[in-house]
Amino acid sequence: MGTHPLPQKLLAEALGSALLLAVVIGSGIMAERLAGGNLGVALLANTLATVGGLYVLIEVFAPISGAHLNPAISLVMAARGELQKAHLVPYILMQLGGAVLGAWLAHAMFAVDLLQFSTHIRSGWGQWLAEAVATAGLVLVVLRAPKDRVAGLVSAYVGAAYWFTASTSFANPAAALGRMFTDSFAGIAPASVPAFVLAELAGAAAGVILERLFAGSTPRHPDALAEPRSERLGQLLSEPLAGDVGLAATATTVSLHGAQRSEKKMAKVSSDFGVPPALRRSKSGQ
């Protein structure tokens, strides 16, 4: 993360969470309307929109707040000492509030009732296990991904988890809360939310444990989501520049040695033909 003041970080988390939920819910509404009852097509459209939207949001907000957009990620960062403890509760509140606002924004854009609750029951050991697995994998990717590829790898993982988990991979307590307020394709019934959140938190803990198993294998810094490109460019440019300076110094040295050798040869030739030393010095100085 950069050195932005806390209000800017909180705004980034709130706005990013709102836009993420607007993407998830809005694309779900659009997909449901256009898919003609084909749930597979609707899920595919929802997945593609989420992957693209998440990638952009991480790229935009990572330099400001770290682009957690997820209370589980913020808890992990605070536990690792990479998010100040005093910032944890404000981060989570902004994420939760932003998620609810994002649901309402999606409803407003599609001209449906702003205030609604989902009737989509998502329950059972299979779905709870799926949420734990999805969240554990997400945490592992966030902690282990190379600095300059976090956005792409996280987005790709979320897109895959939409399809290989029975729960379609919420992996985010804020997303579970926001999707509770939409009775659409992407919704989750309020009664199903507590178990989902508990499974996600358990999965986050499992992800941290998994990451520690790889300790010492060059882990990345979780909050530095992208190494500044300007620094890398400067390094690339400085290396050949240093080589050019060294080459120029070598050429100058060779030239000086050559001039000295030429002067010695001229002195020898002049002495052979009896040229006086004073005249030789004046000729060599011309």
Side-chain angles (χ1 to χ4, degrees), residues 205-220:
V208 171
I209 294 172
L210 289 172
E211 194 277 333
R212 286 180 179 175
L213 295 177
F214 298 99
S217 57
T218 317
R220 57 173 297 280

PDB file of all heavy atoms in Angstrom, residues 205-220:
ATOM      1  N   ALA A 205      -8.397 -18.918   7.709  1.00  0.00           N
ATOM      2  CA  ALA A 205      -7.393 -19.442   8.640  1.00  0.00           C
ATOM      3  C   ALA A 205      -6.615 -20.592   8.009  1.00  0.00           C
ATOM      4  O   ALA A 205      -5.390 -20.696   8.148  1.00  0.00           O
ATOM      5  CB  ALA A 205      -8.068 -19.900   9.932  1.00  0.00           C
ATOM      6  N   ALA A 206      -7.326 -21.460   7.288  1.00  0.00           N
ATOM      7  CA  ALA A 206      -6.650 -22.577   6.612  1.00  0.00           C
ATOM      8  C   ALA A 206      -5.694 -22.069   5.544  1.00  0.00           C
ATOM      9  O   ALA A 206      -4.598 -22.626   5.354  1.00  0.00           O
ATOM     10  CB  ALA A 206      -7.687 -23.505   5.991  1.00  0.00           C
ATOM     11  N   GLY A 207      -6.074 -21.011   4.853  1.00  0.00           N
ATOM     12  CA  GLY A 207      -5.195 -20.435   3.838  1.00  0.00           C
ATOM     13  C   GLY A 207      -3.910 -19.904   4.433  1.00  0.00           C
ATOM     14  O   GLY A 207      -2.832 -20.049   3.850  1.00  0.00           O
ATOM     15  N   VAL A 208      -3.994 -19.271   5.618  1.00  0.00           N
ATOM     16  CA  VAL A 208      -2.797 -18.770   6.294  1.00  0.00           C
ATOM     17  C   VAL A 208      -1.878 -19.932   6.675  1.00  0.00           C
ATOM     18  O   VAL A 208      -0.652 -19.858   6.512  1.00  0.00           O
ATOM     19  CB  VAL A 208      -3.192 -17.955   7.538  1.00  0.00           C
ATOM     20  CG1 VAL A 208      -1.958 -17.606   8.368  1.00  0.00           C
ATOM     21  CG2 VAL A 208      -3.925 -16.681   7.135  1.00  0.00           C
ATOM     22  N   ILE A 209      -2.488 -21.007   7.199  1.00  0.00           N
ATOM     23  CA  ILE A 209      -1.687 -22.181   7.577  1.00  0.00           C
ATOM     24  C   ILE A 209      -0.987 -22.772   6.352  1.00  0.00           C
ATOM     25  O   ILE A 209       0.204 -23.114   6.404  1.00  0.00           O
ATOM     26  CB  ILE A 209      -2.582 -23.237   8.261  1.00  0.00           C
ATOM     27  CG1 ILE A 209      -3.098 -22.699   9.600  1.00  0.00           C
ATOM     28  CG2 ILE A 209      -1.826 -24.546   8.458  1.00  0.00           C
ATOM     29  CD1 ILE A 209      -4.141 -23.581  10.254  1.00  0.00           C
ATOM     30  N   LEU A 210      -1.710 -22.877   5.255  1.00  0.00           N
ATOM     31  CA  LEU A 210      -1.099 -23.400   4.033  1.00  0.00           C
ATOM     32  C   LEU A 210       0.063 -22.530   3.576  1.00  0.00           C
ATOM     33  O   LEU A 210       1.114 -23.033   3.162  1.00  0.00           O
ATOM     34  CB  LEU A 210      -2.150 -23.497   2.922  1.00  0.00           C
ATOM     35  CG  LEU A 210      -3.206 -24.592   3.076  1.00  0.00           C
ATOM     36  CD1 LEU A 210      -4.278 -24.442   2.001  1.00  0.00           C
ATOM     37  CD2 LEU A 210      -2.554 -25.970   2.984  1.00  0.00           C
ATOM     38  N   GLU A 211      -0.107 -21.212   3.658  1.00  0.00           N
ATOM     39  CA  GLU A 211       0.960 -20.316   3.223  1.00  0.00           C
ATOM     40  C   GLU A 211       2.201 -20.488   4.091  1.00  0.00           C
ATOM     41  O   GLU A 211       3.328 -20.413   3.595  1.00  0.00           O
ATOM     42  CB  GLU A 211       0.458 -18.871   3.278  1.00  0.00           C
ATOM     43  CG  GLU A 211       1.347 -17.872   2.542  1.00  0.00           C
ATOM     44  CD  GLU A 211       2.530 -17.416   3.382  1.00  0.00           C
ATOM     45  OE1 GLU A 211       2.416 -17.440   4.631  1.00  0.00           O
ATOM     46  OE2 GLU A 211       3.554 -17.015   2.801  1.00  0.00           O
ATOM     47  N   ARG A 212       2.007 -20.740   5.369  1.00  0.00           N
ATOM     48  CA  ARG A 212       3.146 -20.894   6.271  1.00  0.00           C
ATOM     49  C   ARG A 212       3.924 -22.171   5.972  1.00  0.00           C
ATOM     50  O   ARG A 212       5.113 -22.261   6.298  1.00  0.00           O
ATOM     51  CB  ARG A 212       2.661 -20.894   7.722  1.00  0.00           C
ATOM     52  CG  ARG A 212       2.240 -19.502   8.207  1.00  0.00           C
ATOM     53  CD  ARG A 212       1.775 -19.522   9.642  1.00  0.00           C
ATOM     54  NE  ARG A 212       1.407 -18.171  10.095  1.00  0.00           N
ATOM     55  CZ  ARG A 212       0.869 -17.899  11.270  1.00  0.00           C
ATOM     56  NH1 ARG A 212       0.610 -18.895  12.132  1.00  0.00           N
ATOM     57  NH2 ARG A 212       0.568 -16.654  11.602  1.00  0.00           N
ATOM     58  N   LEU A 213       3.270 -23.142   5.376  1.00  0.00           N
ATOM     59  CA  LEU A 213       3.979 -24.367   5.003  1.00  0.00           C
ATOM     60  C   LEU A 213       5.042 -24.094   3.943  1.00  0.00           C
ATOM     61  O   LEU A 213       5.979 -24.878   3.780  1.00  0.00           O
ATOM     62  CB  LEU A 213       2.993 -25.413   4.481  1.00  0.00           C
ATOM     63  CG  LEU A 213       1.974 -25.949   5.496  1.00  0.00           C
ATOM     64  CD1 LEU A 213       1.024 -26.930   4.829  1.00  0.00           C
ATOM     65  CD2 LEU A 213       2.680 -26.611   6.675  1.00  0.00           C
ATOM     66  N   PHE A 214       4.875 -22.978   3.219  1.00  0.00           N
ATOM     67  CA  PHE A 214       5.839 -22.607   2.182  1.00  0.00           C
ATOM     68  C   PHE A 214       6.787 -21.510   2.660  1.00  0.00           C
ATOM     69  O   PHE A 214       7.450 -20.867   1.842  1.00  0.00           O
ATOM     70  CB  PHE A 214       5.103 -22.123   0.926  1.00  0.00           C
ATOM     71  CG  PHE A 214       4.224 -23.170   0.305  1.00  0.00           C
ATOM     72  CD1 PHE A 214       2.860 -23.175   0.539  1.00  0.00           C
ATOM     73  CD2 PHE A 214       4.761 -24.160  -0.496  1.00  0.00           C
ATOM     74  CE1 PHE A 214       2.039 -24.144  -0.028  1.00  0.00           C
ATOM     75  CE2 PHE A 214       3.958 -25.124  -1.066  1.00  0.00           C
ATOM     76  CZ  PHE A 214       2.593 -25.116  -0.824  1.00  0.00           C
ATOM     77  N   ALA A 215       6.864 -21.289   3.967  1.00  0.00           N
ATOM     78  CA  ALA A 215       7.727 -20.239   4.507  1.00  0.00           C
ATOM     79  C   ALA A 215       9.169 -20.476   4.073  1.00  0.00           C
ATOM     80  O   ALA A 215       9.654 -21.608   4.073  1.00  0.00           O
ATOM     81  CB  ALA A 215       7.643 -20.217   6.025  1.00  0.00           C
ATOM     82  N   GLY A 216       9.833 -19.397   3.693  1.00  0.00           N
ATOM     83  CA  GLY A 216      11.216 -19.493   3.238  1.00  0.00           C
ATOM     84  C   GLY A 216      11.358 -19.674   1.750  1.00  0.00           C
ATOM     85  O   GLY A 216      12.471 -19.694   1.235  1.00  0.00           O
ATOM     86  N   SER A 217      10.236 -19.774   1.028  1.00  0.00           N
ATOM     87  CA  SER A 217      10.314 -19.944  -0.428  1.00  0.00           C
ATOM     88  C   SER A 217       9.943 -18.650  -1.136  1.00  0.00           C
ATOM     89  O   SER A 217       9.136 -18.614  -2.043  1.00  0.00           O
ATOM     90  CB  SER A 217       9.380 -21.070  -0.891  1.00  0.00           C
ATOM     91  OG  SER A 217       8.046 -20.819  -0.487  1.00  0.00           O
ATOM     92  N   THR A 218      10.536 -17.563  -0.657  1.00  0.00           N
ATOM     93  CA  THR A 218      10.387 -16.226  -1.231  1.00  0.00           C
ATOM     94  C   THR A 218       8.934 -15.802  -1.336  1.00  0.00           C
ATOM     95  O   THR A 218       8.405 -15.623  -2.428  1.00  0.00           O
ATOM     96  CB  THR A 218      11.030 -16.145  -2.641  1.00  0.00           C
ATOM     97  OG1 THR A 218      12.282 -16.815  -2.595  1.00  0.00           O
ATOM     98  CG2 THR A 218      11.234 -14.691  -3.042  1.00  0.00           C
ATOM     99  N   PRO A 219       8.246 -15.650  -0.195  1.00  0.00           N
ATOM    100  CA  PRO A 219       6.886 -15.135  -0.261  1.00  0.00           C
ATOM    101  C   PRO A 219       6.875 -13.668  -0.632  1.00  0.00           C
ATOM    102  O   PRO A 219       7.856 -12.961  -0.420  1.00  0.00           O
ATOM    103  CB  PRO A 219       6.376 -15.349   1.167  1.00  0.00           C
ATOM    104  CG  PRO A 219       7.595 -15.289   2.006  1.00  0.00           C
ATOM    105  CD  PRO A 219       8.705 -15.887   1.162  1.00  0.00           C
ATOM    106  N   ARG A 220       5.785 -13.207  -1.189  1.00  0.00           N
ATOM    107  CA  ARG A 220       5.653 -11.807  -1.557  1.00  0.00           C
ATOM    108  C   ARG A 220       5.075 -11.033  -0.383  1.00  0.00           C
ATOM    109  O   ARG A 220       4.522 -11.595   0.538  1.00  0.00           O
ATOM    110  CB  ARG A 220       4.723 -11.654  -2.762  1.00  0.00           C
ATOM    111  CG  ARG A 220       3.342 -12.255  -2.529  1.00  0.00           C
ATOM    112  CD  ARG A 220       2.409 -11.946  -3.660  1.00  0.00           C
ATOM    113  NE  ARG A 220       2.217 -10.520  -3.724  1.00  0.00           N
ATOM    114  CZ  ARG A 220       1.394  -9.873  -2.920  1.00  0.00           C
ATOM    115  NH1 ARG A 220       0.738 -10.494  -1.999  1.00  0.00           N
ATOM    116  NH2 ARG A 220       1.257  -8.570  -3.040  1.00  0.00           N
TER     117      ARG A 220
END
